[in-house]
Amino acid sequence: MDSWGTQRKKVAVIGGGLVGSLNACFLAKRNFQVDVYEAREGKTILKAEICISRIPMRARMIHSFSGKKSAIPYGTKSQYILSISRTNLNKDLLTAVESYPNAKVYFGHRLLTCNPEEGTITVLGSDKVPKDVTYDLIVGCDGAYSTVRSHLMKKPRFDYSQQYIPHGYMELTIPPRNGDFAMEPNYLHIWPRNTFMMIALPNKNKTFTCTLFMPFEEFEKLQTSRDVLDFFHKYFPDAVPLMGEQALTQDFFLLPAQAMISVKCSPFHFKSRCVLMGDAAHAIVPFFGQGMNAGFEDCLVFDELMEKFNNDLSMCLPEFSRFRIPDDHAVSDLSMYNYVEMRAHVNSRWFIFQKNVERLLHAIMPSTFIPLYTMVTFSRIRYHEAMLRWRWQKKVINKGFFLFGTLVAIGSTYLLIRSMAPRPLDYLKDHGTGSLTSRIQDSFPENPLESLEQIPTVISRRQKGREVANDT
């Protein structure tokens, strides 16, 4: 028996992706009756072996035009990010959902309509017959083009915005070499080229998944195999032999460049009957690697609020919107910023110097100065708090640089002025007692020796002259 009596509350999770399947596990664990509706067929998702493939990456490996490589650590020696197969992770999570007796996954079921006020949905299964079902809670985890969200957008006071960035992406592959990785595996490899970039992430099968991020107008210029090879030889010369020219051109024209969208909306809920999570609530560009993490954190925060409010949906849903909206909007903005950092800033010596200063300050004052990447990736500091703290730290560091630069300028100016000024001994040498004899001799140029003998007489005459003047 649960807290509502003999009958479980029913929850529909729309979308069986990473966020939907994890959320279903949390809700099933809380004794809800959970139905997950996934448009993809189960055989498409679950046909491969279940395993989580993950490879630790401890730093960015920057590839210059010349092929020279340099590493920029993500954090301390014990901190790293993971290269994980999203497909395999999704399979693991869906398998976990089906392990709960009070949860069921409906593959091949597409959401047609959603009425959040009544808590009803209409789904279309493989039999092509629409089916209406009523639930106590509808959870929209159906991605950036969410059908659930499209119904909430019709409600009053629901804010929504979307932005397509002018860059697209294309996936390429670096195969194994002699049965092993063709490059160092424990790095996120980056070829930053200011207005565009390519990255490579290692896989368990010894391959690298490469992703080229570039403005669509640049993709459109590459119409032939020769265009592609000339472009890669010019901008990524060390990657071409690793990919192979034939495989590169084949992969390049396999699919067109894909678009990237950023979505913001508010609120994330409607009354106590409907809530959005993951990309349905806040689709972000992938440049901070936080899309999956932000969605998972949605699930975790929602579960913590359910615990706090004893599964009271009327209390939990409004608090979820209030709590998560600032954070999810902040991580969206941070992801936009990080694209500029990855494709351009990492080429700058000034940027590298600032990173080293941040690491030094963090080592000296670990609780006061925390690098942005560390706050976002290696802690549960809220995203919007990390952004505010990062801005404050930047101001402090910049003021420190300004003060240091000012002191250096003042000190250099002082030393320069002092080095140019005549020294006291030099002054005396040129104008003081050292020249007394020569000046006296100049007064008696005819016979210097005789002039020197006449000095007492001259002084006596001058003294008498002053006495006469005084008497007058």
Side-chain angles (χ1 to χ4, degrees):
M1 181 178 295
D2 56 29
S3 59
W4 301 289
T6 57
Q7 186 176 4
R8 289 191 179 103
K9 294 255 183 176
K10 295 176 63 179
V11 178
V13 176
I14 311 301
L18 295 171
V19 175
S21 52
L22 178 60
N23 207 5
C25 290
F26 277 121
L27 292 167
K29 191 174 181 180
R30 291 195 166 277
N31 211 23
F32 287 88
Q33 179 63 47
V34 181
D35 293 334
V36 180
Y37 293 96
E38 170 55 51
R40 294 170 294 174
E41 295 291 340
K43 61 183 179 181
T44 303
I45 304 176
L46 300 172
K47 63 182 179 181
E49 178 185 357
I50 303 299
C51 65
I52 296 181
S53 301
R54 59 185 191 177
I55 299 176
M57 297 181 295
R58 303 183 183 279
R60 296 167 173 169
M61 183 65 78
I62 309 302
H63 294 246
S64 68
F65 278 94
S66 65
K68 181 181 177 181
K69 293 183 284 188
S70 56
I72 303 177
Y74 283 118
T76 64
K77 291 182 179 180
S78 62
Q79 293 174 329
Y80 54 86
I81 62 175
L82 295 173
S83 175
I84 298 179
S85 167
R86 292 173 65 97
T87 302
N88 287 336
L89 180 57
N90 198 181
K91 295 166 190 171
D92 269 4
L93 289 171
L94 286 169
T95 301
V97 174
E98 293 184 319
S99 69
Y100 288 94
N102 54 319
K104 186 174 181 179
V105 180
Y106 293 89
F107 293 105
H109 281 65
R110 182 167 60 90
L111 179 68
L112 295 179
T113 62
C114 170
N115 186 343
E117 289 187 343
E118 302 296 331
T120 60
I121 62 173
T122 302
V123 294
L124 184 67
S126 56
D127 58 3
K128 304 302 179 183
V129 177
K131 181 181 178 181
D132 296 330
V133 194
T134 301
Y135 290 94
D136 298 289
L137 176 64
I138 301 169
V139 184
C141 302
D142 47 343
Y145 304 97
S146 169
T147 302
V148 177
R149 187 185 65 230
S150 68
H151 286 83
L152 293 184
M153 288 168 61
K154 302 172 185 177
K155 303 300 179 183
R157 300 177 64 191
F158 185 89
D159 294 326
Y160 169 79
S161 66
Q162 71 174 42
Q163 177 187 359
Y164 280 99
I165 66 173
H167 298 71
Y169 73 92
M170 178 179 290
E171 290 193 349
L172 307 166
T173 303
I174 292 179
R177 173 172 288 185
N178 300 323
D180 203 355
F181 288 103
M183 301 185 296
E184 301 88 343
N186 297 115
Y187 296 90
L188 190 156
H189 293 261
I190 306 177
W191 289 259
R193 298 300 181 257
N194 295 320
T195 58
F196 56 90
M197 72 174 181
M198 186 172 71
I199 66 172
L201 283 79
N203 302 309
K204 278 292 186 181
N205 62 1
K206 310 295 185 181
T207 65
F208 282 89
T209 298
C210 301
T211 308
L212 175 61
F213 298 97
M214 192 164 64
F216 278 103
E217 59 187 23
E218 297 297 327
F219 277 113
E220 293 165 0
K221 294 178 182 178
L222 307 180
Q223 297 294 323
T224 67
S225 296
R226 187 71 263 164
D227 293 337
V228 173
L229 292 177
D230 288 344
F231 174 82
F232 272 80
H233 277 294
K234 180 178 181 180
Y235 292 106
F236 313 113
D238 60 327
V240 175
L242 301 179
M243 295 179 175
E245 291 188 351
Q246 184 176 352
L248 168 58
T249 54
Q250 183 177 345
D251 288 349
F252 191 91
F253 293 107
L254 188 63
L255 291 171
Q258 303 296 302
M260 289 175 283
I261 189 173
S262 176
V263 170
K264 293 180 181 180
C265 68
S266 176
F268 289 168
H269 76 288
F270 180 78
K271 298 183 178 179
S272 62
R273 304 300 293 267
C274 185
V275 65
L276 301 173
M277 295 190 194
D279 285 353
H282 48 81
I284 63 176
V285 293
F287 305 115
F288 222 121
Q290 288 296 306
M292 180 181 70
N293 291 339
F296 282 173
E297 195 168 70
D298 286 345
C299 301
L300 181 59
V301 169
F302 189 76
D303 186 66
E304 291 171 343
L305 292 173
M306 291 287 278
E307 179 70 22
K308 177 180 179 180
F309 296 112
N310 194 28
N311 296 338
D312 186 342
L313 297 176
S314 64
M315 296 287 290
C316 182
L317 268 63
E319 182 63 12
F320 176 76
S321 282
R322 186 197 68 80
F323 191 88
R324 284 302 288 172
I325 286 173
D327 294 331
D328 290 327
H329 287 186
V331 75
S332 177
D333 295 336
L334 288 171
S335 298
M336 288 287 195
Y337 160 79
N338 211 50
Y339 183 36
V340 180
E341 178 174 304
M342 291 176 70
R343 64 180 166 84
H345 291 174
V346 292
N347 287 323
S348 166
R349 292 183 179 179
W350 175 247
F351 173 80
I352 304 299
F353 174 71
Q354 286 180 307
K355 286 292 182 184
N356 291 332
V357 170
E358 287 180 2
R359 280 195 290 270
L360 175 62
L361 292 174
H362 182 51
I364 298 172
M365 299 173 286
S367 60
T368 303
F369 280 90
I370 307 176
L372 174 63
Y373 200 92
T374 299
M375 288 189 284
V376 171
T377 308
F378 303 122
S379 79
R380 277 204 67 189
I381 296 174
R382 296 178 62 184
Y383 289 126
H384 87 280
E385 291 178 353
M387 176 180 276
L388 293 174
R389 188 166 181 171
W390 169 59
R391 288 173 176 170
W392 173 81
Q393 290 178 173
K394 281 185 67 176
K395 287 182 180 179
V396 172
I397 292 174
N398 288 338
K399 286 182 179 178
F401 284 149
F402 177 77
L403 178 61
F404 178 76
T406 302
L407 292 175
V408 169
I410 293 173
S412 300
T413 303
Y414 170 75
L415 292 176
L416 179 62
I417 293 173
R418 185 173 181 182
S419 65
M420 295 176 64
R423 290 174 295 178
L425 291 178
D426 291 339
Y427 182 86
L428 291 174
K429 184 176 180 181
D430 294 337
H431 304 285
T433 57
S435 62
L436 178 60
T437 303
S438 61
R439 284 190 290 161
I440 294 174
Q441 288 177 343
D442 290 340
S443 303
F444 307 94
E446 297 84 359
N447 190 336
L449 292 176
E450 292 180 1
S451 299
L452 288 174
E453 292 175 355
Q454 296 174 5
I455 289 175
T457 306
V458 172
I459 294 176
S460 176
R461 289 175 182 172
R462 290 180 179 173
Q463 182 64 34
K464 291 180 179 177
R466 281 199 294 270
E467 291 174 354
V468 170
N470 289 335
D471 291 341
T472 305

